[in-house]
Structures are given as C-alpha cells and as structure tokens.
Amino acid sequence: MSDLPAYRVWALPGIPEVRTGDDIAKLIASAATAEGLPGLADGDVLMVTSKILSKAEGRVVRADDREAAIDAEAVRVVARRGPLRIVENRLGLVMAAAGVDASNTPAGTVLLLPEDPDASARRIRTGLRDTLGVNVGVVVTDTFGRPWRSGLTDVAIGAAGVRVLDDLRGGTDAHGNPLNATVVATADELAAAGDLVKGKASGLPVAVVRGLSHVVVSEGDDAPRDGDAGARALVRDAADDMFRLGTSEAVREAVTLRRTVREFTDDPVDGGAVRRAVAAAVTAPAPHHTTPWRFVLLESAESRVRLLDAMRDAWIADLRGDGFSEENIARRVRRGDVLRKAPYLVVPCLVMDGSHTYPDARRNASEREMFVVAAGAGVQNFLVALAGERLGSAWVSSTMFCRDVVREVLGLPADWDPMGAVAVGRAAVSPSERPVRDAAAFVTVR
C-alpha cells in the first residue's frame, strides 16, 4: 500500500497574533521547528491565509464605512444583489466585496488583501530557505464563493515555487482520447486541502502539505519564470471569460458597448449570432399583444449589392429632382457608403397586423405612432443584443426614403414598411470615447 499516491496535510500550530511589521517567514519557521512537530522538508507546500499577510504588511485600515473601502479596491462591479457586490479588484480577482474583510480585525477597521500576494509568497519562500535551508512551495489563500455552487472554499491568490496550473492539453486519457481543454488548477486544489485543517475560526492560519513534491519547482531565485508564474496565472483573461458579468450588469454593459460603427473588417458575420439578436428584438413591448417586427437578413453579397445599387439610383434621382448639383449628390452618396462597407445587412420592417382602425384620422395617426415606437424598441433590442455578441452595427434610415424600391428588390409584401437598414460586422477601429451625458439633464420630476 505504501506505493499508492498519497499526501499528508496538517495545520501548523503556534503562529501568534500577527502585527504590522512581523516577518511571516520567521514566525512560520519558529512554529514549524517546535518540539513534537515534523518540521519542514524539501517539497513541502505551505498554505498561508492571506489575513496574516495583510496584518503583517499593514493592510489594516480605518474604515467606519466598509462600502467606501470596497469602492477603493474595486475596479469593476460584476454583479449586485442588494448590499452584496461581486467585484473585480485591482488584482484581477472576482470576489465578494473585493476581498475587504471586517472579521478578525479591531472594530472600526477592515483588512485589505495583500498588495501583491505573489510577491508576499516569494518573500516567505525565500525567508524559509534562508532560515531553514528548505525548498518549499508557498500558496497564499483566501476564501471565495463560486458561481453555480453553494458554500465557500479557499483558493490561491498568491503563489511561489508552485506549478499553479497543470496543463494536460495535448495528452491523452486512459482510453487514448485526446485532452483538448484540461488544465488543472493545482494551486486552488492545494488551497482547498489546506483549508480543511486550518478552519475559519480555529486560529490556525498556516497548513503544510507533504507528499506532492512534484508540484514544487526546483530551488533557485524566486522571480516568476516558467513553471512558477504565481497565482496571477489563474486569473482568466477577459477575452476568454464567458461569464464575465452578472445578468443586469451584462445588460448595462451591452447597452454601453452598443456604438454606431462605420468601419468594418472583412470578417464574416455569424448568422446564428444575428438570429439570436433577432430573438432578443422580438421581446420588445408592442401594442395590443401584436408582433410588429420583421427582419430581413441579407446574408449574400449579391443581395446586398442589388439592394444598395437600386437604393442609390433612386436616391440620385430624388436629389436631382430636388435640384442638387452633381457634386453635392456625389458627396451625399459617399456618406451613405457605410452600408456598402458592412459584410452583413439587416432590414428591419414594421407591420401593422393587429392595429386598430378608428373613424378619425387623429386616432389612426396615434395608432401608427404606437407601432412605430414598438418597432424602434425592437431595433434597439436588436442593436444591444448584437453588441452582446461583440458585433458592431450602424442603424441607417435610408430605406425609409425608398420603401417601394426596397420592397420590390427584396420581394417583400406591400404592407412591410422598411425602417432603415442595419449594417453589421466587426469594428475595424475602436470607437471614440462616448461623450459623458448627465442623466439628470434628461429627467423632469413632477
């Protein structure tokens, strides 16, 4: 049985109450060499609760208002439910309250996370090597909640001398199947193992794991390098994070992302993404329980060119009829080229199915206005959903000025009213900063 894979984990007693300026490595070394304890050996991994590092590094601050401390540490709100906030903090960690902790600290103060947990772990590792002559790994831990799972667990927020990730991609499983996505979060698994013996209120802030020396990097300097990148390597890049936002925050982010794009790349547009945006569009409010929206998707270059050529010819004829010079006409036509530059076009249409007819023109006009407003709400939903799919768009009104031409070219029913055209694609350049608008300037209270 002795050759079966196994490890041992124990909490390290004897760590005193930590104060600002204390040398954590020396405190651990003293506790580990106490009589009756197994000491530390090469290949051991230490799990160190971040709280004692915060205290030693002077990260205890006065804060009668804990919310203000959270504001100072947070860089982005991910989700909010009442007073609870899940935020991204300055370390890139997504967690409740930015890691600001009001427990195990005097009243009127809060604990902030260590300034640089990876650097803190490197100092402890170096200090133990200098004091005890051992090559150990160090993991700095903190408590996290997790999406879709009840309960808390410790995870790694800092590390030194530990291979924090075990990348199995490119290998095969026991059945010979290729492993294409398996990257094991070794440092988080170590943190959770240590937490089982440390506990949350037992006064045992350090745990030792023995028997897993293969996760400890060889002895050398403690600068981040291959195999020892620190816990920062566990933070998923924003571009790869499919669950970056909470529900309401995702909506607000998508609304913010929705910008008019006038220059597109040649990248093809996923028709599935556009159809998902249409599904969002048709959830807009509408009068009389109607569905006044229709979306014509121009997915082929031929259909787009045929429509835009016919619209251009009709527009030029109208401008000449209005007495514009050829130079002025050419300039106006060039301004409308945004639709030609897009790899995908959508023509939203209004239908009046289900509308009411009244005996006087005023009420009939108001009835149409209700349907037009509903159409606009549907298009706004559509644009926001496109932004959520990371697609740029530009809603251009030109089809409204030649509806008969559009209906004829696209073979649409006579009662479909084109409500502009939406250019869709990936933005070729980043949009300029949106002008800041004070919402209060648009509000009237009675």
Side-chain angles (χ1 to χ4, degrees), residues 368 399-408 417-419:
R368 178 174 173 78
T399 68
M400 299 173 67
F401 294 90
C402 53
R403 285 174 168 148
D404 289 340
V405 171
V406 175
R407 281 190 286 260
E408 179 181 355
D417 275 349
M419 304 298 289

Side-chain angles (χ1 to χ4, degrees), residues 134-317:
V134 291
N135 177 44
V136 299
V138 177
V139 176
V140 178
T141 71
D142 200 72
T143 304
F144 272 49
R146 299 156 299 158
W148 309 294
R149 304 285 287 179
S150 295
L152 305 171
T153 185
D154 263 20
V155 303
I157 67 168
V162 174
R163 294 181 175 89
V164 297
L165 294 168
D166 186 8
D167 191 346
L168 303 180
R169 292 172 297 181
T172 58
D173 64 16
H175 298 281
N177 299 310
L179 298 173
N180 298 317
T182 304
V183 181
V184 178
T186 303
D188 283 346
E189 293 182 329
L190 289 165
D195 190 45
L196 289 173
V197 296
K198 286 189 300 177
K200 300 299 179 190
S202 56
L204 297 169
V206 178
V208 182
V209 170
R210 178 166 292 173
L212 300 175
S213 59
H214 63 280
V215 306
V216 178
V217 302
S218 59
E219 191 170 3
D221 75 36
D222 287 295
R225 60 192 184 279
D226 290 345
D228 186 15
R232 181 71 193 185
L234 292 160
V235 178
R236 193 185 299 275
D237 290 338
D240 298 327
D241 190 352
M242 295 178 65
F243 309 100
R244 187 166 170 76
L245 300 170
T247 303
S248 58
E249 291 72 25
V251 172
R252 285 196 290 272
E253 178 79 358
V255 171
T256 302
L257 286 173
R258 192 223 59 77
R259 305 293 301 275
T260 296
V261 173
R262 299 190 179 279
E263 295 184 51
F264 299 93
T265 69
D266 294 330
D267 295 342
V269 172
D270 176 14
V274 177
R275 286 165 174 78
R276 290 192 292 272
V278 171
V282 300
T283 65
H288 315 317
H289 305 289
T290 58
T291 55
W293 322 275
R294 302 292 186 271
F295 291 84
V296 184
L297 312 184
L298 278 64
E299 296 189 330
S300 72
E302 179 187 2
S303 64
R304 295 192 296 273
V305 171
R306 187 171 67 251
L307 174 64
L308 296 176
D309 283 351
M311 289 172 56
R312 179 196 59 202
D313 293 344
W315 191 14
I316 290 173

Side-chain angles (χ1 to χ4, degrees), residues 354-379:
S355 62
H356 295 175
T357 301
Y358 299 96
D360 64 278
R362 178 184 60 82
R363 294 172 70 189
N364 284 327
S366 295
E367 181 79 358
R368 178 174 173 78
E369 286 177 351
M370 287 197 306
F371 275 73
V372 170
V373 169
V379 175

Side-chain angles (χ1 to χ4, degrees), residues 89-158:
N89 66 17
R90 54 184 180 74
L91 298 171
L93 303 171
V94 176
M95 59 195 307
V100 175
D101 197 340
S103 62
N104 295 313
T105 186
T109 67
V110 295
L111 284 174
L112 311 181
L113 292 179
E115 188 75 34
D116 183 345
D118 285 333
S120 301
R122 290 195 294 272
R123 284 194 293 272
I124 294 173
R125 184 181 190 226
T126 300
L128 290 172
R129 186 173 59 222
D130 293 345
T131 303
L132 301 179
V134 291
N135 177 44
V136 299
V138 177
V139 176
V140 178
T141 71
D142 200 72
T143 304
F144 272 49
R146 299 156 299 158
W148 309 294
R149 304 285 287 179
S150 295
L152 305 171
T153 185
D154 263 20
V155 303
I157 67 168

